[in-house]
Amino acid sequence: MLTSAPRLNAMTSLYNLLHNADCRPRELVLSPSTFKSVIQAVFDLLREQGISATVIAKLPREAIWYEALEHYRQSQRSASTTYLLKPQTRRPTYSEATEAAARVADDDADHGLYAVEPQASAMTEIWLPKDNPLRRDFFVMVLSPTFQALLLIHRQPKTPAQIVRTAAMDSSAEVMPPSGTQEGKDSFPSVQTFEASHLQTGLNALSRYVEALQLRSTTAHELTPVLEHWFSLSEQMGQWQPDVSLWTSLWTQQIQRQEQLRQTNADLKPKATLAVGLQRTNKILAGAVVRKDEFAKRVGQELRAPLASMKMALSILGSQNLKPSQRKRYIEVISRECDRQNTLINSVLELIHLDALEEHTQMEPVALIDVVPGVVSTYQPLAKEQDVMLAYTIPANLPAVACLGPWLKQIVICLLDNGIKFTEAGGKVWVRAAVKPDYVQLDFEDTGVGIAAKDLPRIFERFYRVRSKTGVEVGAGLGLSVVQQLLQKCGGTIRASSEMGKGTTFQVLLPIYRDK
């Protein structure tokens, strides 16, 4: 035993003690996962070589840190002796001694020291006060005549910024950060030493600390056999002759493990890449399913609206007191809603068809002069009826564009129909074309009511409708969506500019056809 009682307030952490020693061991910076790997390597070596050793350890609370130690203890049965230093957060009963300690309020914590008596398994648990100076140290000390080691990692106190960042988390120093967290990827100062002088310094410090706590406590169990054993080990260490070949075995084992990890990583890399790709694809597919569900729901809602209007108009038409002018108006409502529903159904079918097309549909050379004039002539009677001037300027020598004939015709029909629909009597709608690098630009201009600035960013959204020149929402709100999707399929684009009361311009860019 020591000749004089040690002073408790003079104790420091095991890491600081070794760090400030005259002949201090070399320090490393390790991550928690690497530190755990080194612990496992040491216990694997002890187990494989059949070495019975005294183990003094203080490890984080999580059970995963005790797996290697437990495997070693089971292999040695009662031939080895283990001392576990644990933080005391509440006084356990004997049956609770091997369970994880539960956190309690400061005023409920017991600041004494007590231990579970050694059992047949040669395991002694020494419970330390909550404010013990070793609380930031995690270590494993292995003592045997042929092999000695001290593996230690020290968790530094948090900076003020870290304290603020982790205020909502468990900030106990007795818990190492999980490897899946950002803090778990950080590294901490560490000491890995096999020199007897370093281990003797550490063992003596632990002995003095435990003795000081025992002298202070009035409720501690008798720890004299533990201290006597530790003092005896300290005296014997000077006579031990370590087996250098064991260090070689440990070094070889670590190199083999690193090589296995490297090879495993190399084997898993393609699988990880595939998994990331599958995860990305799954996310895209899940998003597509959600969008299709939303689309189907919206289609149902849009189909009900014209049906409701037609049903209401039909019920009113059955009245005997209806005037001829009123009857005509409700017949017009039915006709308009029938056209609206027909347009909606056709647009939905077109969108479904476009979604089902392969990503790379083979495009054909299409001449604008073969499509635009025909569509314009078809819409001339409607434009004349509404007193709207309709014209086009399409140079005959324009290069062919990469598209499909029916697609280009549908694009022109939709944009011309929009222009006439939103242009008041006396206005103008015309189509112009010009060559740009790699593209043919097709402009649809009108002097209509224009589109409000708040509506302009949304006009290509599905089912989004703006009011016509009569102030009524018209159409299915799918025409511009179909146009945009057709252009995307052939590599083109569309954009709109507008000014309220002055008109709107749709600028379409179609890629020039290149014969491969």
Side-chain angles (χ1 to χ4, degrees), residues 413-462:
I413 287 174
C414 178
L415 295 176
L416 274 182
D417 184 70
N418 263 8
I420 296 171
K421 186 187 302 178
F422 290 97
T423 301
E424 298 175 342
K428 300 177 182 179
V429 176
W430 63 94
V431 186
R432 293 190 177 94
V435 180
K436 302 289 181 182
D438 299 322
Y439 288 92
V440 171
Q441 181 175 320
L442 192 59
D443 292 336
F444 295 80
E445 303 177 39
D446 65 61
T447 58
V449 295
I451 303 172
K454 65 180 181 65
D455 292 321
L456 202 57
R458 302 188 59 189
I459 59 174
F460 296 105
E461 293 180 12
R462 293 180 178 183

Side-chain angles (χ1 to χ4, degrees), residues 20-54:
N20 296 322
D22 293 336
C23 186
R24 68 183 187 182
R26 182 177 179 181
E27 296 181 14
L28 300 172
V29 178
L30 302 180
S31 67
S33 58
T34 302
F35 180 61
K36 180 176 175 296
S37 174
V38 175
I39 291 175
Q40 182 174 346
V42 168
F43 281 121
D44 286 348
L45 176 68
L46 296 177
R47 191 175 68 251
E48 292 166 4
Q49 298 293 329
I51 298 173
S52 297
T54 297

Side-chain angles (χ1 to χ4, degrees), residues 60 215 218 264 267 332 343 360 366 416 446 509:
L215 294 174
T218 58
T264 301
D267 294 341
E332 289 175 351
T343 301
H360 301 289
V366 182
L416 274 182
D446 65 61
L509 292 180

Side-chain angles (χ1 to χ4, degrees), residues 296-323:
K297 182 179 178 180
R298 187 63 187 272
V299 168
Q301 294 171 346
E302 293 292 331
L303 285 172
R304 281 199 298 265
L307 284 174
S309 298
M310 287 187 284
K311 186 175 181 180
M312 178 197 69
L314 286 171
S315 65
I316 295 175
L317 284 173
S319 173
Q320 300 296 327
N321 301 323
L322 206 62
K323 296 178 182 180

Side-chain angles (χ1 to χ4, degrees), residues 22 44 107 138 140 171 181 242 254 276 284 290 303 373 388 450 455 471:
D22 293 336
D44 286 348
D107 54 356
F138 300 102
V140 171
S171 59
T181 64
Q254 280 295 89
V276 170
I284 293 172
V290 171
L303 285 172
V388 173
D455 292 321

Side-chain angles (χ1 to χ4, degrees), residues 91-110:
R91 180 184 296 279
T93 62
Y94 175 76
S95 62
E96 296 174 323
T98 58
E99 297 178 359
R103 183 177 298 281
V104 296
D106 288 344
D107 54 356
D108 294 330
D110 186 338

Side-chain angles (χ1 to χ4, degrees), residues 9-21:
N9 57 9
M11 297 300 168
T12 183
S13 72
L14 196 56
Y15 168 77
N16 288 336
L17 178 70
L18 295 170
H19 178 79
N20 296 322

